[in-house]
Amino acid sequence: MTRRISKTKQFIMMNPIIQFFKFIYLSLKVLVIVAGGHGGTR
Amino acid sequence: MSKIVILGAGISGHVAASHLRRKLAKEHQVVVVSPNSSYQWIPSNIWVGIGRMQPEQTKFPLKPLYKKKGIEFKQAKVTTFHPEGDAETEAPFVTIEYVAEKAGQTEKVTYDYLINATGPKLNFEATEGLKPGTNGVYSVCTYSHADHSWKALEQAIAKMKKGVKQKIVIGTGHAKATCQGAAFEYILNVEQELRRHKVRDMAEITWLSNEYQLGDFGMDGMLLSYGSNILKSAEMVEMIFEDRGIKWILGAGVTKIEAGLAHYENLDGEYKTEPFDFAMLIPSFSGHGFKAYDKKGVDITDKLFKGFMLVDADYTPKPYEEWKVQDWPETYQNPHYENIFAPGIAFAPPHGISKPRKSKNGTDITPAPPRTGMPSGITAKLVADNLIDKIKGKHKTLHHKGSMGNMGAACIASAGFGITKGSGVSITTYPIVPDFEKYPDSHGRKLGQTFGDIGLAGHWLKLALHYAFLYKAKMKPFWWLIPE
């Protein structure tokens, strides 16, 4: 096992308060990509 | 009055049926033919496979819902296609064979429009010894497979608790398998569960995959935004695997499974074996081998199928360097029969997405293109919308288009279950099929819309999607507001 994710980064990844805001951000970002639509290419 | 027959009740078939029923008047008939009695939310099978979710939480029976909504349901499997009818029947039809209650009975089901959403055949037979539950190898492709997988994993955990070391192998079970994303989720979930059971040090976990690089996922890898950095998906996955002590073997085309032993050929042309105590390997996907006949009974399977169903793609064979997004279908309409469509996984892709590679012995070892839940839902909805417009007389041509070369997808990969201890790897990609002409400097994808993130929020998001999509599938109030 090689540590590749620092303890600080690990803390941010698992902190429920920080991650709550990240959850809102990710939900909106995914929604934008999905609702952003789709179409043809020809 | 129009009659629309939908083959399959997975994500694609169910999305098409629900939108058609909602938007078409009751005089039009919507018929669903599926051998499965339940709808299942496949992405949550990962959690069934680690014992953190029961199969019942991922599925619900279709018959009562369809009865309530006015959708005719036939629990049967399709056997043959007759797009011109036959000597006795003027209208086009499919023959079906009932399962369950009316097992063995057959019927001709005529249609005005046919939506083939039969998905893939899980081709375990393509790899000798890969059948789930035999030789210590399992699958998470269905809820019953996943449940079976958990029972075996539970036994392995019990052995570890008694001090017996275990070797776990997870990945792909064929040189041309796809769905690496599911295996990726499963390996991370298994790793976290072993930590939760305090037996992580008793297990050696190995990723065995047909990918050339980590993070290929059958999509040729990605260049993605990660925080303020731009990195390759290979680097991101490598970082996660190293951090979690997961080893990897790449470019491996599994050829045969024996009890506790995976035989594979690698891109260097070497024939190797990997021992295991517990393995979960995704099989290759294939078409169902359907046959089609014209009015005179002549075999016209080639007009409808090339493994999967032929649609409006460019199937001209060409080298990787000449692949274009324009090769990919936009309307999912069969080129020979304009009333037949194949959204989701049922359509034949024009070619792969990942760069094709051969071993030194000439064996193709390349991931097949994935078609996950999001594009399956989107393509099914656009097919339904085109039919609705056509039936209502709004548009004569197919107005709604959705190429995977002009469509985004979100892959919220679970990396461990738990409200406070869980984790997820959120990856979004736009477009799914890289457009090297439009985005030449970012490996064919739009940075910003192609991004990655790791953390607890990813787990919450995957869990939220589980509940949201089951709510939507159950067609509860305002279900249509939830996008595909």
Side-chain angles (χ1 to χ4, degrees), chain B residues 96-137:
Chain B
I96 63 167
E97 186 182 327
Y98 282 91
V99 297
E101 287 168 18
K102 297 186 197 170
Q105 288 184 37
T106 58
E107 185 185 334
K108 283 181 179 180
V109 181
T110 58
Y111 60 82
D112 295 305
Y113 299 99
L114 181 71
I115 298 178
N116 174 19
T118 45
K121 177 189 170 193
L122 301 172
N123 199 7
F124 291 104
E125 296 80 18
T127 307
E128 189 184 337
L130 189 66
K131 189 180 168 193
T134 60
N135 300 318
V137 69

mmCIF file of all heavy atoms in Angstrom, chain B residues 96-137:
data_model
loop_
_atom_site.group_PDB
_atom_site.id
_atom_site.type_symbol
_atom_site.label_atom_id
_atom_site.label_comp_id
_atom_site.label_asym_id
_atom_site.label_seq_id
_atom_site.Cartn_x
_atom_site.Cartn_y
_atom_site.Cartn_z
ATOM 1 N N ILE B 96 -43.325 -14.523 -29.823
ATOM 2 C CA ILE B 96 -42.824 -14.544 -28.452
ATOM 3 C C ILE B 96 -43.153 -15.884 -27.815
ATOM 4 O O ILE B 96 -44.099 -16.559 -28.229
ATOM 5 C CB ILE B 96 -43.406 -13.381 -27.603
ATOM 6 C CG1 ILE B 96 -44.939 -13.493 -27.469
ATOM 7 C CG2 ILE B 96 -43.023 -12.035 -28.179
ATOM 8 C CD1 ILE B 96 -45.528 -12.574 -26.402
ATOM 9 N N GLU B 97 -42.370 -16.235 -26.829
ATOM 10 C CA GLU B 97 -42.618 -17.459 -26.070
ATOM 11 C C GLU B 97 -42.741 -17.074 -24.606
ATOM 12 O O GLU B 97 -41.819 -16.477 -24.040
ATOM 13 C CB GLU B 97 -41.467 -18.447 -26.273
ATOM 14 C CG GLU B 97 -41.723 -19.787 -25.625
ATOM 15 C CD GLU B 97 -40.540 -20.747 -25.807
ATOM 16 O OE1 GLU B 97 -39.874 -20.681 -26.853
ATOM 17 O OE2 GLU B 97 -40.294 -21.524 -24.870
ATOM 18 N N TYR B 98 -43.880 -17.388 -24.032
ATOM 19 C CA TYR B 98 -44.124 -16.994 -22.644
ATOM 20 C C TYR B 98 -43.226 -17.760 -21.674
ATOM 21 O O TYR B 98 -42.815 -18.896 -21.941
ATOM 22 C CB TYR B 98 -45.590 -17.236 -22.272
ATOM 23 C CG TYR B 98 -46.520 -16.174 -22.817
ATOM 24 C CD1 TYR B 98 -47.120 -16.322 -24.055
ATOM 25 C CD2 TYR B 98 -46.778 -15.017 -22.083
ATOM 26 C CE1 TYR B 98 -47.962 -15.340 -24.571
ATOM 27 C CE2 TYR B 98 -47.622 -14.038 -22.584
ATOM 28 C CZ TYR B 98 -48.212 -14.201 -23.827
ATOM 29 O OH TYR B 98 -49.030 -13.225 -24.329
ATOM 30 N N VAL B 99 -42.932 -17.120 -20.555
ATOM 31 C CA VAL B 99 -42.236 -17.793 -19.454
ATOM 32 C C VAL B 99 -43.173 -17.693 -18.242
ATOM 33 O O VAL B 99 -44.253 -17.114 -18.343
ATOM 34 C CB VAL B 99 -40.865 -17.131 -19.155
ATOM 35 C CG1 VAL B 99 -39.934 -17.238 -20.347
ATOM 36 C CG2 VAL B 99 -41.029 -15.671 -18.750
ATOM 37 N N ALA B 100 -42.780 -18.245 -17.121
ATOM 38 C CA ALA B 100 -43.577 -18.207 -15.879
ATOM 39 C C ALA B 100 -44.942 -18.856 -16.080
ATOM 40 O O ALA B 100 -45.008 -19.970 -16.592
ATOM 41 C CB ALA B 100 -43.682 -16.773 -15.349
ATOM 42 N N GLU B 101 -46.029 -18.107 -15.782
ATOM 43 C CA GLU B 101 -47.380 -18.693 -15.753
ATOM 44 C C GLU B 101 -47.770 -19.453 -17.031
ATOM 45 O O GLU B 101 -48.283 -20.548 -16.975
ATOM 46 C CB GLU B 101 -48.420 -17.598 -15.500
ATOM 47 C CG GLU B 101 -48.416 -17.078 -14.075
ATOM 48 C CD GLU B 101 -49.247 -15.818 -13.932
ATOM 49 O OE1 GLU B 101 -50.081 -15.542 -14.802
ATOM 50 O OE2 GLU B 101 -49.042 -15.110 -12.933
ATOM 51 N N LYS B 102 -47.539 -18.805 -18.183
ATOM 52 C CA LYS B 102 -47.954 -19.434 -19.444
ATOM 53 C C LYS B 102 -46.761 -20.083 -20.148
ATOM 54 O O LYS B 102 -46.718 -20.118 -21.389
ATOM 55 C CB LYS B 102 -48.562 -18.376 -20.358
ATOM 56 C CG LYS B 102 -49.816 -17.716 -19.850
ATOM 57 C CD LYS B 102 -50.306 -16.814 -20.986
ATOM 58 C CE LYS B 102 -51.288 -15.788 -20.556
ATOM 59 N NZ LYS B 102 -51.550 -14.794 -21.620
ATOM 60 N N ALA B 103 -45.807 -20.557 -19.406
ATOM 61 C CA ALA B 103 -44.556 -21.092 -19.963
ATOM 62 C C ALA B 103 -44.789 -22.038 -21.141
ATOM 63 O O ALA B 103 -45.636 -22.932 -21.070
ATOM 64 C CB ALA B 103 -43.771 -21.794 -18.872
ATOM 65 N N GLY B 104 -44.053 -21.795 -22.212
ATOM 66 C CA GLY B 104 -44.129 -22.660 -23.381
ATOM 67 C C GLY B 104 -45.097 -22.184 -24.451
ATOM 68 O O GLY B 104 -44.944 -22.509 -25.622
ATOM 69 N N GLN B 105 -46.096 -21.376 -24.066
ATOM 70 C CA GLN B 105 -47.062 -20.879 -25.061
ATOM 71 C C GLN B 105 -46.401 -19.843 -25.968
ATOM 72 O O GLN B 105 -45.586 -19.047 -25.502
ATOM 73 C CB GLN B 105 -48.257 -20.209 -24.368
ATOM 74 C CG GLN B 105 -49.182 -21.187 -23.678
ATOM 75 C CD GLN B 105 -50.388 -20.483 -23.086
ATOM 76 O OE1 GLN B 105 -50.918 -19.536 -23.655
ATOM 77 N NE2 GLN B 105 -50.824 -20.944 -21.929
ATOM 78 N N THR B 106 -46.769 -19.858 -27.221
ATOM 79 C CA THR B 106 -46.212 -18.872 -28.147
ATOM 80 C C THR B 106 -47.321 -17.973 -28.692
ATOM 81 O O THR B 106 -48.499 -18.333 -28.636
ATOM 82 C CB THR B 106 -45.484 -19.559 -29.331
ATOM 83 O OG1 THR B 106 -46.405 -20.401 -29.991
ATOM 84 C CG2 THR B 106 -44.289 -20.356 -28.853
ATOM 85 N N GLU B 107 -46.931 -16.834 -29.226
ATOM 86 C CA GLU B 107 -47.919 -15.886 -29.746
ATOM 87 C C GLU B 107 -47.258 -14.981 -30.787
ATOM 88 O O GLU B 107 -46.068 -14.674 -30.681
ATOM 89 C CB GLU B 107 -48.443 -15.024 -28.574
ATOM 90 C CG GLU B 107 -49.560 -14.073 -28.964
ATOM 91 C CD GLU B 107 -49.970 -13.147 -27.800
ATOM 92 O OE1 GLU B 107 -49.792 -13.522 -26.624
ATOM 93 O OE2 GLU B 107 -50.443 -12.042 -28.095
ATOM 94 N N LYS B 108 -48.034 -14.573 -31.772
ATOM 95 C CA LYS B 108 -47.576 -13.563 -32.717
ATOM 96 C C LYS B 108 -48.035 -12.218 -32.176
ATOM 97 O O LYS B 108 -49.235 -12.039 -31.936
ATOM 98 C CB LYS B 108 -48.236 -13.765 -34.085
ATOM 99 C CG LYS B 108 -47.676 -14.890 -34.922
ATOM 100 C CD LYS B 108 -48.442 -14.930 -36.243
ATOM 101 C CE LYS B 108 -47.926 -16.009 -37.157
ATOM 102 N NZ LYS B 108 -48.664 -16.039 -38.441
ATOM 103 N N VAL B 109 -47.116 -11.308 -31.986
ATOM 104 C CA VAL B 109 -47.496 -9.971 -31.496
ATOM 105 C C VAL B 109 -47.260 -8.980 -32.630
ATOM 106 O O VAL B 109 -46.117 -8.705 -33.003
ATOM 107 C CB VAL B 109 -46.674 -9.580 -30.234
ATOM 108 C CG1 VAL B 109 -47.105 -8.214 -29.725
ATOM 109 C CG2 VAL B 109 -46.822 -10.621 -29.139
ATOM 110 N N THR B 110 -48.349 -8.477 -33.188
ATOM 111 C CA THR B 110 -48.223 -7.522 -34.295
ATOM 112 C C THR B 110 -47.927 -6.130 -33.747
ATOM 113 O O THR B 110 -48.170 -5.853 -32.565
ATOM 114 C CB THR B 110 -49.510 -7.468 -35.129
ATOM 115 O OG1 THR B 110 -50.580 -7.107 -34.257
ATOM 116 C CG2 THR B 110 -49.795 -8.809 -35.783
ATOM 117 N N TYR B 111 -47.386 -5.278 -34.626
ATOM 118 C CA TYR B 111 -47.053 -3.920 -34.175
ATOM 119 C C TYR B 111 -47.123 -2.933 -35.334
ATOM 120 O O TYR B 111 -47.027 -3.314 -36.502
ATOM 121 C CB TYR B 111 -45.648 -3.888 -33.547
ATOM 122 C CG TYR B 111 -44.532 -4.315 -34.485
ATOM 123 C CD1 TYR B 111 -43.973 -3.424 -35.408
ATOM 124 C CD2 TYR B 111 -44.042 -5.615 -34.459
ATOM 125 C CE1 TYR B 111 -42.960 -3.818 -36.264
ATOM 126 C CE2 TYR B 111 -43.028 -6.024 -35.316
ATOM 127 C CZ TYR B 111 -42.492 -5.120 -36.212
ATOM 128 O OH TYR B 111 -41.493 -5.516 -37.074
ATOM 129 N N ASP B 112 -47.256 -1.662 -34.955
ATOM 130 C CA ASP B 112 -47.056 -0.585 -35.927
ATOM 131 C C ASP B 112 -45.627 -0.068 -35.791
ATOM 132 O O ASP B 112 -44.976 0.287 -36.756
ATOM 133 C CB ASP B 112 -48.044 0.557 -35.668
ATOM 134 C CG ASP B 112 -49.480 0.121 -35.910
ATOM 135 O OD1 ASP B 112 -49.743 -0.363 -37.022
ATOM 136 O OD2 ASP B 112 -50.301 0.212 -34.984
ATOM 137 N N TYR B 113 -45.168 -0.009 -34.545
ATOM 138 C CA TYR B 113 -43.791 0.408 -34.261
ATOM 139 C C TYR B 113 -43.191 -0.590 -33.270
ATOM 140 O O TYR B 113 -43.871 -1.024 -32.336
ATOM 141 C CB TYR B 113 -43.750 1.810 -33.647
ATOM 142 C CG TYR B 113 -44.324 2.871 -34.552
ATOM 143 C CD1 TYR B 113 -45.633 3.323 -34.386
ATOM 144 C CD2 TYR B 113 -43.570 3.407 -35.597
ATOM 145 C CE1 TYR B 113 -46.172 4.286 -35.220
ATOM 146 C CE2 TYR B 113 -44.096 4.367 -36.441
ATOM 147 C CZ TYR B 113 -45.405 4.803 -36.249
ATOM 148 O OH TYR B 113 -45.931 5.746 -37.095
ATOM 149 N N LEU B 114 -41.923 -0.899 -33.488
ATOM 150 C CA LEU B 114 -41.247 -1.853 -32.603
ATOM 151 C C LEU B 114 -40.004 -1.204 -31.993
ATOM 152 O O LEU B 114 -39.174 -0.637 -32.721
ATOM 153 C CB LEU B 114 -40.829 -3.094 -33.396
ATOM 154 C CG LEU B 114 -40.136 -4.198 -32.594
ATOM 155 C CD1 LEU B 114 -41.131 -4.907 -31.667
ATOM 156 C CD2 LEU B 114 -39.492 -5.231 -33.523
ATOM 157 N N ILE B 115 -39.897 -1.261 -30.686
ATOM 158 C CA ILE B 115 -38.683 -0.770 -30.017
ATOM 159 C C ILE B 115 -37.969 -1.979 -29.421
ATOM 160 O O ILE B 115 -38.496 -2.652 -28.528
ATOM 161 C CB ILE B 115 -39.027 0.263 -28.915
ATOM 162 C CG1 ILE B 115 -39.712 1.484 -29.530
ATOM 163 C CG2 ILE B 115 -37.745 0.689 -28.179
ATOM 164 C CD1 ILE B 115 -40.143 2.535 -28.510
ATOM 165 N N ASN B 116 -36.800 -2.257 -29.977
ATOM 166 C CA ASN B 116 -36.012 -3.383 -29.477
ATOM 167 C C ASN B 116 -35.090 -2.865 -28.369
ATOM 168 O O ASN B 116 -34.115 -2.167 -28.644
ATOM 169 C CB ASN B 116 -35.205 -3.999 -30.626
ATOM 170 C CG ASN B 116 -34.261 -5.080 -30.139
ATOM 171 O OD1 ASN B 116 -34.429 -5.620 -29.037
ATOM 172 N ND2 ASN B 116 -33.267 -5.406 -30.943
ATOM 173 N N ALA B 117 -35.436 -3.180 -27.139
ATOM 174 C CA ALA B 117 -34.613 -2.749 -25.999
ATOM 175 C C ALA B 117 -34.212 -3.983 -25.189
ATOM 176 O O ALA B 117 -34.322 -4.014 -23.971
ATOM 177 C CB ALA B 117 -35.402 -1.755 -25.141
ATOM 178 N N THR B 118 -33.765 -4.990 -25.938
ATOM 179 C CA THR B 118 -33.471 -6.272 -25.298
ATOM 180 C C THR B 118 -32.112 -6.295 -24.601
ATOM 181 O O THR B 118 -31.772 -7.291 -23.962
ATOM 182 C CB THR B 118 -33.526 -7.414 -26.332
ATOM 183 O OG1 THR B 118 -32.834 -6.977 -27.502
ATOM 184 C CG2 THR B 118 -34.952 -7.765 -26.696
ATOM 185 N N GLY B 119 -31.346 -5.216 -24.746
ATOM 186 C CA GLY B 119 -30.063 -5.162 -24.041
ATOM 187 C C GLY B 119 -29.097 -6.220 -24.531
ATOM 188 O O GLY B 119 -29.255 -6.762 -25.634
ATOM 189 N N PRO B 120 -28.101 -6.561 -23.724
ATOM 190 C CA PRO B 120 -27.120 -7.552 -24.175
ATOM 191 C C PRO B 120 -27.426 -8.943 -23.634
ATOM 192 O O PRO B 120 -28.136 -9.102 -22.643
ATOM 193 C CB PRO B 120 -25.837 -7.037 -23.530
ATOM 194 C CG PRO B 120 -26.308 -6.474 -22.217
ATOM 195 C CD PRO B 120 -27.703 -5.934 -22.446
ATOM 196 N N LYS B 121 -26.859 -9.919 -24.286
ATOM 197 C CA LYS B 121 -26.829 -11.261 -23.699
ATOM 198 C C LYS B 121 -25.527 -11.318 -22.895
ATOM 199 O O LYS B 121 -24.462 -10.934 -23.406
ATOM 200 C CB LYS B 121 -26.821 -12.309 -24.811
ATOM 201 C CG LYS B 121 -26.724 -13.723 -24.285
ATOM 202 C CD LYS B 121 -26.494 -14.705 -25.422
ATOM 203 C CE LYS B 121 -26.152 -16.077 -24.858
ATOM 204 N NZ LYS B 121 -25.638 -16.976 -25.889
ATOM 205 N N LEU B 122 -25.612 -11.741 -21.655
ATOM 206 C CA LEU B 122 -24.403 -11.893 -20.846
ATOM 207 C C LEU B 122 -23.732 -13.178 -21.319
ATOM 208 O O LEU B 122 -24.185 -14.276 -21.004
ATOM 209 C CB LEU B 122 -24.759 -11.965 -19.356
ATOM 210 C CG LEU B 122 -25.512 -10.749 -18.802
ATOM 211 C CD1 LEU B 122 -25.973 -11.006 -17.381
ATOM 212 C CD2 LEU B 122 -24.652 -9.502 -18.863
ATOM 213 N N ASN B 123 -22.681 -13.017 -22.104
ATOM 214 C CA ASN B 123 -22.118 -14.155 -22.830
ATOM 215 C C ASN B 123 -21.061 -14.911 -22.004
ATOM 216 O O ASN B 123 -19.872 -14.930 -22.365
ATOM 217 C CB ASN B 123 -21.536 -13.649 -24.163
ATOM 218 C CG ASN B 123 -21.345 -14.753 -25.159
ATOM 219 O OD1 ASN B 123 -21.771 -15.892 -24.920
ATOM 220 N ND2 ASN B 123 -20.707 -14.454 -26.268
ATOM 221 N N PHE B 124 -21.494 -15.496 -20.911
ATOM 222 C CA PHE B 124 -20.563 -16.250 -20.059
ATOM 223 C C PHE B 124 -19.942 -17.420 -20.829
ATOM 224 O O PHE B 124 -18.804 -17.804 -20.585
ATOM 225 C CB PHE B 124 -21.296 -16.781 -18.819
ATOM 226 C CG PHE B 124 -21.710 -15.698 -17.857
ATOM 227 C CD1 PHE B 124 -23.032 -15.285 -17.778
ATOM 228 C CD2 PHE B 124 -20.776 -15.079 -17.032
ATOM 229 C CE1 PHE B 124 -23.418 -14.279 -16.904
ATOM 230 C CE2 PHE B 124 -21.160 -14.076 -16.156
ATOM 231 C CZ PHE B 124 -22.483 -13.670 -16.088
ATOM 232 N N GLU B 125 -20.717 -17.955 -21.798
ATOM 233 C CA GLU B 125 -20.248 -19.129 -22.543
ATOM 234 C C GLU B 125 -18.999 -18.812 -23.372
ATOM 235 O O GLU B 125 -18.267 -19.726 -23.755
ATOM 236 C CB GLU B 125 -21.353 -19.635 -23.497
ATOM 237 C CG GLU B 125 -22.611 -20.146 -22.813
ATOM 238 C CD GLU B 125 -23.546 -19.028 -22.365
ATOM 239 O OE1 GLU B 125 -23.407 -17.897 -22.867
ATOM 240 O OE2 GLU B 125 -24.408 -19.279 -21.496
ATOM 241 N N ALA B 126 -18.769 -17.539 -23.661
ATOM 242 C CA ALA B 126 -17.614 -17.180 -24.488
ATOM 243 C C ALA B 126 -16.292 -17.448 -23.775
ATOM 244 O O ALA B 126 -15.232 -17.483 -24.417
ATOM 245 C CB ALA B 126 -17.707 -15.714 -24.906
ATOM 246 N N THR B 127 -16.338 -17.586 -22.457
ATOM 247 C CA THR B 127 -15.116 -17.898 -21.702
ATOM 248 C C THR B 127 -15.358 -19.196 -20.939
ATOM 249 O O THR B 127 -16.266 -19.259 -20.091
ATOM 250 C CB THR B 127 -14.783 -16.769 -20.705
ATOM 251 O OG1 THR B 127 -14.759 -15.526 -21.409
ATOM 252 C CG2 THR B 127 -13.440 -17.000 -20.026
ATOM 253 N N GLU B 128 -14.581 -20.188 -21.255
ATOM 254 C CA GLU B 128 -14.772 -21.501 -20.621
ATOM 255 C C GLU B 128 -14.644 -21.395 -19.095
ATOM 256 O O GLU B 128 -13.672 -20.820 -18.589
ATOM 257 C CB GLU B 128 -13.728 -22.485 -21.173
ATOM 258 C CG GLU B 128 -13.972 -23.911 -20.758
ATOM 259 C CD GLU B 128 -12.859 -24.839 -21.251
ATOM 260 O OE1 GLU B 128 -12.159 -24.503 -22.231
ATOM 261 O OE2 GLU B 128 -12.685 -25.904 -20.628
ATOM 262 N N GLY B 129 -15.621 -21.895 -18.395
ATOM 263 C CA GLY B 129 -15.552 -21.958 -16.928
ATOM 264 C C GLY B 129 -15.972 -20.688 -16.211
ATOM 265 O O GLY B 129 -15.853 -20.593 -14.997
ATOM 266 N N LEU B 130 -16.486 -19.698 -16.971
ATOM 267 C CA LEU B 130 -16.819 -18.401 -16.354
ATOM 268 C C LEU B 130 -18.214 -18.361 -15.727
ATOM 269 O O LEU B 130 -18.563 -17.411 -15.039
ATOM 270 C CB LEU B 130 -16.689 -17.279 -17.408
ATOM 271 C CG LEU B 130 -16.792 -15.832 -16.909
ATOM 272 C CD1 LEU B 130 -15.609 -15.477 -16.008
ATOM 273 C CD2 LEU B 130 -16.864 -14.832 -18.060
ATOM 274 N N LYS B 131 -19.001 -19.382 -15.936
ATOM 275 C CA LYS B 131 -20.388 -19.385 -15.437
ATOM 276 C C LYS B 131 -20.413 -19.016 -13.949
ATOM 277 O O LYS B 131 -19.687 -19.621 -13.140
ATOM 278 C CB LYS B 131 -20.993 -20.778 -15.635
ATOM 279 C CG LYS B 131 -22.474 -20.850 -15.364
ATOM 280 C CD LYS B 131 -22.980 -22.254 -15.590
ATOM 281 C CE LYS B 131 -24.385 -22.372 -15.039
ATOM 282 N NZ LYS B 131 -24.808 -23.762 -14.949
ATOM 283 N N PRO B 132 -21.217 -18.002 -13.583
ATOM 284 C CA PRO B 132 -21.214 -17.540 -12.181
ATOM 285 C C PRO B 132 -21.539 -18.662 -11.199
ATOM 286 O O PRO B 132 -22.456 -19.455 -11.430
ATOM 287 C CB PRO B 132 -22.311 -16.468 -12.159
ATOM 288 C CG PRO B 132 -22.513 -16.070 -13.563
ATOM 289 C CD PRO B 132 -22.178 -17.255 -14.404
ATOM 290 N N GLY B 133 -20.763 -18.698 -10.130
ATOM 291 C CA GLY B 133 -20.994 -19.706 -9.099
ATOM 292 C C GLY B 133 -20.194 -20.978 -9.309
ATOM 293 O O GLY B 133 -20.236 -21.884 -8.487
ATOM 294 N N THR B 134 -19.469 -21.038 -10.442
ATOM 295 C CA THR B 134 -18.619 -22.217 -10.655
ATOM 296 C C THR B 134 -17.159 -21.773 -10.574
ATOM 297 O O THR B 134 -16.835 -20.619 -10.867
ATOM 298 C CB THR B 134 -18.857 -22.859 -12.043
ATOM 299 O OG1 THR B 134 -18.549 -21.894 -13.044
ATOM 300 C CG2 THR B 134 -20.290 -23.310 -12.202
ATOM 301 N N ASN B 135 -16.309 -22.648 -10.189
ATOM 302 C CA ASN B 135 -14.850 -22.408 -10.156
ATOM 303 C C ASN B 135 -14.429 -21.235 -9.273
ATOM 304 O O ASN B 135 -13.359 -20.672 -9.442
ATOM 305 C CB ASN B 135 -14.312 -22.180 -11.579
ATOM 306 C CG ASN B 135 -14.556 -23.372 -12.473
ATOM 307 O OD1 ASN B 135 -14.373 -24.511 -12.050
ATOM 308 N ND2 ASN B 135 -14.998 -23.139 -13.693
ATOM 309 N N GLY B 136 -15.302 -20.810 -8.378
ATOM 310 C CA GLY B 136 -14.956 -19.703 -7.478
ATOM 311 C C GLY B 136 -15.093 -18.338 -8.120
ATOM 312 O O GLY B 136 -14.626 -17.335 -7.589
ATOM 313 N N VAL B 137 -15.750 -18.290 -9.300
ATOM 314 C CA VAL B 137 -15.913 -17.017 -10.003
ATOM 315 C C VAL B 137 -17.385 -16.588 -9.967
ATOM 316 O O VAL B 137 -18.286 -17.420 -10.060
ATOM 317 C CB VAL B 137 -15.359 -17.104 -11.449
ATOM 318 C CG1 VAL B 137 -16.194 -18.008 -12.328
ATOM 319 C CG2 VAL B 137 -15.221 -15.737 -12.072
#
